[in-house]
Amino acid sequence: MSLSQFACTYATLILHDEDISITSDKIARLVKAANVTVESYWPSLFAKLAEKRNVGDLIMNIGAGGGGAPVAVASSGSAAGGAAAAAAPAVEEKKEEAPESDDDMGFSLFD
């Protein structure tokens, strides 16, 4: 992201946090008050986004990106059976290790 995008993002978040309507004028004023120079189209783009999407929903879904598409590998002939068996991962048993205690170290925190 460029500095212009960051400045407009923060201005939009400030306006949303203060429950002030998000317009390109208000975004531009906040950016100007922060002494950041942005291209004239950025505030209007962010204002249009705020009109179409709820900023609160965008904040709440920030880490909820979609998963990657599954990848299918096509095999042909008799190699398909052997490839499927070779592609199956081996199941490993996990041993649960007992947590170490302070007694095993030979000293105590409060000695």
Side-chain angles (χ1 to χ4, degrees):
M1 286 182 85
S2 68
L3 180 63
S4 298
Q5 291 172 326
F6 277 122
C8 290
T9 300
Y10 288 133
T12 303
L13 290 173
I14 289 169
L15 292 170
H16 172 73
D17 190 48
E18 296 295 322
D19 291 327
I20 299 171
S21 63
I22 301 169
T23 63
S24 60
D25 267 353
K26 291 177 184 175
I27 293 172
R29 266 193 262 154
L30 274 173
V31 169
K32 186 177 179 182
N35 292 324
V36 178
T37 305
V38 298
E39 292 84 0
S40 60
Y41 58 87
W42 284 116
S44 62
L45 284 175
F46 277 83
K48 286 179 185 176
L49 172 71
E51 282 178 15
K52 293 181 182 187
R53 301 286 306 263
N54 184 353
V55 176
D57 289 343
L58 291 173
I59 293 169
M60 295 303 291
N61 293 325
I62 192 135
V71 177
V73 178
S75 305
S76 63
S78 63
V91 178
E92 296 180 22
E93 292 183 29
K94 294 183 179 179
K95 294 182 182 178
E96 291 188 29
E97 297 180 16
E100 294 182 18
S101 66
D102 291 340
D103 297 336
D104 294 341
M105 294 184 175
F107 64 91
S108 174
L109 181 63
F110 300 106
D111 282 346

